[in-house]
Amino acid sequence: MIKPILRLPGALALLALAACTQNPQTGDAPAGRVMEGMIDPATGQPVISGPVLTGTAPRTPGKTLSTAPPPTPAARTAAEFDTTTREQKAAAATAPASGERRLGTTIASLGDPSQPGFWIKTPLAKSESEGRIVNPANGKSAKVRLIPMGGPASAGSQVSLPALQLIGVSLTDLPTIEVYGS
C-alpha cells in the first residue's frame, strides 16, 4: 500500500501535465483564444487572450536608475553593493525642490541591492518621475527616482540601499517614510 504522503508528488505531476495540454480541435493553448491579426513582434507568434495584468512592467534593458555602476558579482556587504559616489550622495541629500506634493506614507523595505542609484518602487507613484523620500523619525531626506509598483496604495515600497542609508534607516528595519513627487 502506498503511503498518502507519497501520492502527493504523483498528483502534482498529473496536474502539471494537464495544464500543459493543448486543445486538440484548434491547437490553441487552453489559456485563451488567438487574437486575430495580432502578432507578438518579439516572437512572431500569435497573441493569445488572457487576463489583464497590472503592476510594474519589466525595465528596459540597459536603462539604469542612475549613473552609478552596478555592483560587482562578488559583492556581499552593504558597502560593496553601494556604488554611489560622495557627490551623488550629496546631490541626493540637497534641499527639496519647490512645487513637490506629498503622495503619502509607506512602509519601506530594502529593494534589490544590485540595482544602483537612488530609487523607490512604490504604488504611490503613477508614473516614473523624480521625487523625494523623508524619514519622519529624523527629518533626513533623499532625492529618488519614483518607480510605479502594482498594488494598493497601502502596500509597502522597496527602496534602494543608498537611499535607505542616506535617510538613516537600518537595512533590516521596516520604517514608515513619507513620499513626495514633483
Side-chain angles (χ1 to χ4, degrees):
M1 182 167 136
I2 298 177
K3 294 183 179 184
I5 193 73
L6 296 177
R7 293 181 187 171
L8 183 60
L12 290 175
L14 286 174
L15 285 172
L17 286 173
C20 294
T21 62
Q22 290 187 337
N23 183 338
Q25 295 172 347
T26 64
D28 290 345
R33 61 181 178 76
V34 173
M35 305 283 289
E36 292 183 31
M38 294 188 70
I39 303 295
D40 182 349
T43 64
Q45 299 296 317
V47 176
I48 298 174
S49 66
V52 175
L53 302 177
T54 60
T56 304
R59 297 204 54 80
T60 305
K63 187 173 182 184
T64 60
L65 301 174
S66 78
T67 57
T72 65
R76 297 287 177 258
T77 66
E80 292 170 336
F81 275 104
D82 184 0
T83 60
T84 55
T85 65
R86 286 185 198 156
E87 294 79 18
Q88 290 169 325
K89 289 176 185 173
T94 58
S98 61
E100 65 180 9
R101 69 186 196 300
R102 188 172 188 269
L103 301 178
T105 60
T106 186
I107 303 295
S109 66
L110 176 63
D112 183 355
S114 69
Q115 287 189 335
F118 298 91
W119 50 266
I120 179 172
K121 293 181 181 178
T122 179
L124 298 174
K126 302 302 178 215
S127 63
E128 196 165 315
S129 62
E130 296 299 318
R132 186 172 64 96
I133 57 173
V134 176
N135 181 355
N138 60 18
K140 292 183 178 181
S141 70
K143 290 182 182 177
V144 294
R145 187 84 183 145
L146 301 174
I147 302 170
M149 183 171 79
S154 61
S157 301
Q158 299 174 5
V159 182
S160 71
L161 183 143
L164 281 179
Q165 289 178 327
L166 194 59
I167 64 171
V169 172
S170 170
L171 302 180
T172 57
D173 285 351
L174 296 173
T176 298
I177 62 171
E178 298 170 351
V179 180
Y180 294 85
S182 301

